[in-house]
Each structure stands twice: as structure tokens, then as C-alpha cells.
Amino acid sequence: MITLGIETSCDETAVALLRDGAEILVNAVYSQAALHARYGGVVPELASRDHVRKLPYLVEEALRGAGVGWEEIGLVGVTYGPGLIGPLVVGVSYAKGLSVALQVPFVGVHHLAAHLFAHRLAHPDVPPPFLGLIVSGGHTELVVVKDWDDFRVVGTTRDDAAGEALDKLGRLVGLGYPAGPAIDALAREGDPAAIPFPRPMLGEGFDTSFAGLKTAAVRWLKDHPHPDLRDLCASYLEAIVDVLVDKAIRAARIYELGRLVVVGGVAANSRLREVFPVRAAERGMEVYFPPPELCTDNAAMVAACAHHRFAERGRGDPLSLSPEANLPLDGWGKGDDIGKADGKEAV
Ligand code: KG4
Ligand code: ZN
């Protein structure tokens, strides 16, 4: 069965075709970064309009590229939260329209659950249980994943998420938006011990708070108006990496999980990918990262999650399913809000 996955929760318009929940036929991502760059962050109204413009063409291109006909699509999966409400409405409305037109079932997907499914695509032989660390622009979540529909959030973002903290540093020193990749590259040339930035909430619980780190950078920049960006990025990133690695490894120990899975845009970071396995190995733990293109927002992960829910759990969603900007992950996948569907009921 071929699943069409659609992702429009923020500033990426993404479309994927997935065969039997595992084989990626197309994974196309159109980034709106250039559109938002001059505002230093995503402008929701502009994002919604651009999704409306690009989505239909991306779907047509994906089908053409894979040599797949409309009639071969057996399932439509779409992110319905969390995210920016306007952009979510665009993707969900399109997906519903397509499921009606093609007479195929429709499945709404949780964006953070989808990030975890990137691991399943990359490492199908490494199933739950594991401790998931989701690090993206809006989220820093530690999740006990007992099964593919059993998520328990044990640590969350108190203020700025890891990616947001990187993007804010980028804005301070003019690295454009999103700044994660540029900081990644500069940090590789710098000294991570050059500036002693704080490690917020290190060793304290499983929640994270990176707003203070940005304030520390603002203060440091006042005294050092002409910084060596390589050292600044390396030191700032090191503080984030230290906190993430410490919390994830402690959580895995407390919840007796020997396996860690790191996903989300920040999981593409080369320093995190270098440090994490070493620190985990010291504790006898294994760490898995999907390849970078499955870490950042994409629709293959959405299609994988949708396929799992429909093909393995027999769940589809009614056309009344409504996007939710703050959809919680805790318990998602087990709730009664999701319609049981045999395929007919879902369309
Ligand atoms: O998961 P994602 O693509 O979108 C959200 O759901 O938020 O994550 C985007 C975040 C941005 O903050 C971006 O700066 C960061 O991921 N990012 C990186 C790298 N690539 C993207 N951060 C550090 N190093 C990278 N290589
Ligand atoms: Zn994301």
C-alpha cells in the first residue's frame, strides 16, 4: 500500500510517498526559510499562504517523480498538531479533500510522534522500548516510548526549546534563520571551552530551560562586541549539548531503558551526534539518530506514523478531525478521540 504523507505544521511544505510503511519512494521538502528570513522567524500568515500555493504542486511533482498514479494512493496521512494553526489548517483541509476525492482513508498524525517514526524508518530493526529525545525548533521533549502508540512525556520545555535557543543566538549575531546549520558549521572550527556559558538546570529533573542561556549570550556580547563567531557558536552549542545529553542519559537510567533515540531538527547537529554516543557508551547505553534529512521536518515520518496507525492499529480519522495547535503527546495514539475505521468509515 502507498501512503501519501503531508506536513505543513510550520515553515516546511513536505510531501512523501511511502510503500508499505517502510520504503521511501519520494521525500520532498520545500523550505519557506527564504520567505521568513528577513523577519528573523516564521510569520504564520505568510506561512499559511505559501503552503496553499505550493502544496498541490509538490504532491503532483512527487507522484510524477515516483511514477505513481493517483489511483495507487491507498492512504492519506497529515500532521494535525502541534504547530501553527493556519499552516495546519492548510495541510489538513487538503488531505481531507484528497481522501474524499480518492475515496481512501484519512489519518491525522501528531507531529512529535511523527518525529519519533523517523527512527523507525531509519532503524526498523530497533523497536521500542526506548527513551526518545525530541529536539526541534519548538520542542525539547524526553519521552518514554514503550510501544509505537504508547508515549509518556517525562521532560519538557520550560521556555525556549533547544532549536529556538540556537535560532535566537543566530539572530543576535546575524546568522539568518534558521541558524542551526550555520552554528553547526561554525562550531566545528571553534573551541567549545572558550566561553564558560551556564548549563541551565543541569542535573535538575528532566525539564529544560534555555532562555537563560540566550540572556547569558546577550550579556557576553555586550562585553565582546567583536566576537570570534567560531568560539562563540562552539561554546554556546556545547552548553546545549551538555544539558541534553545529561538529561537524556539520566532519564534513560531512571526509566530503565538502555536505548536512546534522538530525533527532530537539532538531532541533525554534528556535535550532538559526536558527543552523545560516547557519553552513552560510558553508561552502557546505545544511541540512535536518523540520517539528518529525516531529523528535520519531512513528510516521510508523517506517512510512516499514519501507515502504522491504519495498517497495524486499524485506526483512521473522521473528516471532522480538527487541527490542534497544542496537541499533547502524552497518551496520544491511545485516546478515544480517534475513530476506529475499516477504511470506509474514515472517508
Ligand atoms: O524539527 P524541525 O525541522 O522543525 C520543528 O519541528 O521545529 O527543527 C527545526 C530546528 C531549528 O531550530 C533549526 O535551527 C534546527 O532545528 N536545526 C539544527 C540543525 N539543523 C536544523 N540545529 C543544530 N544543528 C543543525 N545541523
Ligand atoms: Zn518538527
Side-chain angles (χ1 to χ4, degrees):
M1 175 165 82
I2 292 180
T3 302
L4 171 69
I6 294 171
E7 159 63 44
T8 63
S9 65
C10 190
D11 61 340
E12 265 97 20
T13 319
V15 166
L17 291 167
L18 193 66
R19 196 192 300 280
D20 299 330
E23 186 195 347
I24 300 173
L25 304 179
V26 188
N27 191 16
V29 182
Y30 168 77
S31 169
Q32 302 178 350
L35 178 70
H36 304 290
R38 66 180 157 132
Y39 305 101
V42 180
V43 183
E45 168 84 13
L46 294 181
S48 307
R49 289 172 184 273
D50 208 44
H51 287 307
V52 168
R53 245 188 317 263
K54 297 283 174 15
L55 182 56
Y57 296 107
L58 269 178
V59 172
E60 281 181 7
E61 252 174 56
L63 290 167
R64 226 182 0 256
V68 169
W70 291 104
E71 71 289 351
E72 290 177 79
I73 296 173
L75 176 69
V76 179
V78 63
T79 302
Y80 76 105
L84 299 170
I85 196 67
L88 288 168
V89 166
V90 175
V92 169
S93 303
Y94 179 93
K96 286 182 182 180
L98 196 59
S99 102
V100 171
L102 299 175
Q103 287 293 295
V104 297
F106 157 80
V107 172
V109 166
H110 192 293
H111 181 76
L112 299 181
H115 270 301
L116 290 165
F117 271 80
H119 165 73
R120 180 163 158 158
L121 286 172
H123 304 284
D125 50 335
V126 184
F130 57 74
L131 194 280
L133 169 62
I134 308 171
V135 266
S136 69
H139 296 271
T140 313
E141 311 286 306
L142 282 165
V143 189
V144 172
V145 181
K146 288 211 181 121
D147 199 351
W148 282 116
D149 56 1
D150 190 340
F151 308 108
R152 186 172 148 222
V153 177
V154 297
T156 190
T157 315
R158 289 263 177 103
D159 40 52
D160 292 356
E164 201 173 349
L166 291 169
D167 294 336
K168 283 187 173 172
L169 175 70
R171 208 172 307 158
L172 283 175
V173 296
L175 291 177
Y177 175 86
I183 292 174
D184 191 342
L186 283 163
R188 260 179 267 166
E189 312 280 313
D191 174 7
I195 308 160
F197 281 124
R199 269 62 176 155
M201 294 177 75
L202 187 79
E204 273 172 58
F206 300 130
D207 284 354
T208 47
S209 157
F210 289 116
L213 181 60
K214 191 208 77 177
T215 310
V218 171
R219 225 177 292 130
W220 187 87
L221 278 164
K222 267 201 192 126
D223 298 335
H224 306 82
H226 305 292
D228 180 329
L229 283 186
R230 295 165 304 180
D231 285 349
L232 173 61
C233 289
S235 302
Y236 190 90
L237 178 62
E238 200 68 5
I240 293 176
V241 167
D242 266 353
V243 171
L244 293 177
V245 170
D246 163 75
K247 300 224 176 221
I249 290 178
R250 270 193 304 111
R253 218 178 51 234
I254 295 286
Y255 292 98
E256 298 177 351
L257 297 162
R259 212 172 253 170
L260 290 131
V261 165
V262 191
V263 297
V266 181
N269 184 265
S270 43
R271 183 67 179 156
L272 190 64
R273 295 172 86 96
E274 184 183 309
V275 170
F276 223 134
V278 177
R279 298 264 296 270
E282 290 166 6
R283 299 271 176 185
M285 292 175 188
E286 295 174 329
V287 187
Y288 293 86
F289 288 85
E293 67 275 14
L294 289 177
C295 290
T296 43
D297 281 352
N298 66 87
M301 66 187 196
V302 175
C305 183
H307 177 271
H308 162 78
R309 293 172 69 66
F310 186 74
E312 292 171 42
R313 296 291 188 267
R315 286 169 184 272
D317 285 308
L319 288 176
S320 55
L321 185 80
S322 184
E324 280 185 48
N326 298 311
L327 187 65
L329 179 61
D330 240 344
W332 183 81
K334 293 238 183 256
D336 295 334
D337 52 317
I338 300 140
K340 268 250 175 210
D342 59 6
K344 278 201 198 89
E345 193 184 328
V347 292

